[in-house]
């Protein structure tokens, strides 16, 4: 856009209705704190700077947002005297001089960058101020937007509104854009002579109008300006986010057999021609390449899934997992911090942690990498084209070479060279006729027991 922009995110809310030790804006949607969703939307509109207005847990909120906006500044609002007062807490940032200023709420996480861009576009077109409005199913409690001849003339808070004004269904979402040049002067003109005795940011509308400036309202979708102040609303916003993400995944070429039971994270990346069966949950940090199939009932986080990979059903993939082309992690397997190379198979009831498995290697059912000695984690390295027999325990640190064969039921504590056979279990003992003797002895003992004497 070529214009400088400061985004002020109001995040001083106590969030007491969340009934939580954690401050409200740090509660997550799709695995990302709400306030980070807002910061990311601000950055996506080309915002140069982010200023946070914080209360309780200000440091934690700032640290969270700095993952996206490393230069984000935090300003403490010690007393909650209204949204106008909150914005002025960031006075120092405003005074640096920006072309555009966006005000966002940290508890309204689904705001879309394109809506913010439309608000900024209204400033470019000559408006002093542009307010984002929406039409909620129930307008009770919201400030009403009063328009005349294409101009926004006032925002009336519920408590200050007349009956006729309360009948208006176009409401203030709270988000607004205004010109940086005159911002401080206008913000300082806000008073608190209203029903709540608060400094209302919304008074900017009338202040700008009195100065003869143009004020516009744009309409956003109701879902994107939904605020969260309790756990039910948190769940409702999560549901909206998930519905939108599922729809996008399908538009982009993924097959979701039961979309409603698939949960994505904010950063899940899915290529076309991926199939996801029912009841799959993605935590943060997952990428899935074309042709991969995620069978039912999987929990996957921090994992890269290569082309044509098969996962599950009932697989748990934890951070640091890399499944390369055509590899397979089957039912009731857990993989953590491990590379499963091209064409390798980990098919049944297995734990692979802190390990590397070479190409085309087959890991038998019930294999466990014993990576933890009670104090430290150790690595297991298995070469390419090897075979690990079922129910093997690989006691790390340990290496198995290329083309090696490990006998079923082994406890491997020493390295196995390339091409070697390793068997680490008791030899079988077979006693001719002894089996039948035991069966007959036990049957006789059972027959000797009289009914009712058990
Ligand atoms: C505000 C708007 C109202 C709009 C509604 C949308 C004003 C005066 N009213 O209502 O027109 O329909 O949002 O949800 O702006 N906050 C602070 N410090 C404060 C006060 C608020 O940081 O002193 C933050 C809150 O944490 C919240 C946001 O500002 O994120 C909105 O505050 P809230 O009290 O929910 O808004 P209302 O005044 O009800």
């Amino acid at each position: 856009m070529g214009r400088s922009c400061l985004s002020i995110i109001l995040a001083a809310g106590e969030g007491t209705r969340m009934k939580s030790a954690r401050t409200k804006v740090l509660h997550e949607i799709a695995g990302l704190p709400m306030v980070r969703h807002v910061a990311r939307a601000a950055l996506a509109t080309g915002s140069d700077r982010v200023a946070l207005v914080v209360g309780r847990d200000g440091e934690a909120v700032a640290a969270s947002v700095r993952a996206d906006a490393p230069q984000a500044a935090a300003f403490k609002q010690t007393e909650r005297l209204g949204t106008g007062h909150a914005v002025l807490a960031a006075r120092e940032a405003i005074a640096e001089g920006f072309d555009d200023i966006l005000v966002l709420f940290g508890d309204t996480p689904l705001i879309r960058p394109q809506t913010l861009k439309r608000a900024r576009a209204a400033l470019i077109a000559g408006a002093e101020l542009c307010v984002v409005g929406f039409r909620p199913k129930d307008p009770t409690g919201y400030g009403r937007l009063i328009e005349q001849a294409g101009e926004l003339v006032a925002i009336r808070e519920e408590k200050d509104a007349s009956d006729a004004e309360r009948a208006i269904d176009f409401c203030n979402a709270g988000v607004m854009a205004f010109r940086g040049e005159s911002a401080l002067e206008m913000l300082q003109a806000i008073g608190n002579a209203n029903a709540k005795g608060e400094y209302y940011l919304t008074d900017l509308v009338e202040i700008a109008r009195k100065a003869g400036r143009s004020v516009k309202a744009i309409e956003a979708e109701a879902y994107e300006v939904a605020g969260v102040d309790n756990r039910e609303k948190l769940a409702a916003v999560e549901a909206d986010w998930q519905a939108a993400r599922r729809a996008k995944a399908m538009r982009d070429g993924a097959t979701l057999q039961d979309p409603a039971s698939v949960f994505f994270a904010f950063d899940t990346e899915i290529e076309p021609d991926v199939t996801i069966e029912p009841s799959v949950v993605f935590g943060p940090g997952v990428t899935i390449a074309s042709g991969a199939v995620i069978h039912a009932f999987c929990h996957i986080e921090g994992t890269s899934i290569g082309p044509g990979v098969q996962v599950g059903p009932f697989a748990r993939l934890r951070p640091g997992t890399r499944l390369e082309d055509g590899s397979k992690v089957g039912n009731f397997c857990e993989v953590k911090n491990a590379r499963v190379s091209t064409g390798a198979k980990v098919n049944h009831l297995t734990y692979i942690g802190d390990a590397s498995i070479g190409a085309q290697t087959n890991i038998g059912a019930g294999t466990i990498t014993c990576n933890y000695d009670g104090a430290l984690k150790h690595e297991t390295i298995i070469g390419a084209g090897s075979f690990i027999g079922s129910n093997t325990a690989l006691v790390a640190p340990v290496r198995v070479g290329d083309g090696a064969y490990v006998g079923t039921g082994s406890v491997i504590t020493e390295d196995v060279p390339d091409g070697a056979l390793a068997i680490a279990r008791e030899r079988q003992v077979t006693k001719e006729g002894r089996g039948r003797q035991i069966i007959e002895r036990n049957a006789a003992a059972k027959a000797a027991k009289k009914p009712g004497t058990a």
Side-chain angles (χ1 to χ4, degrees), residues 10-14 24-25 53 77 79-86 104-108 134 141-144 155-157 171-174 196 198-202 225 227:
L10 305 191
E14 284 292 318
K24 179 168 68 172
V25 297
V53 177
Q77 188 196 19
E79 270 181 301
R80 260 180 76 92
L81 300 178
T83 46
H85 178 261
L104 301 149
F105 291 171
D107 59 2
T108 304
F134 72 116
Y142 291 105
R144 307 302 205 280
I155 304 178
R156 195 77 70 227
E157 293 304 307
C171 295
N172 177 25
K196 275 170 125 183
E198 282 189 0
Y199 294 87
Y200 289 166
L201 181 64
T202 47
V225 293

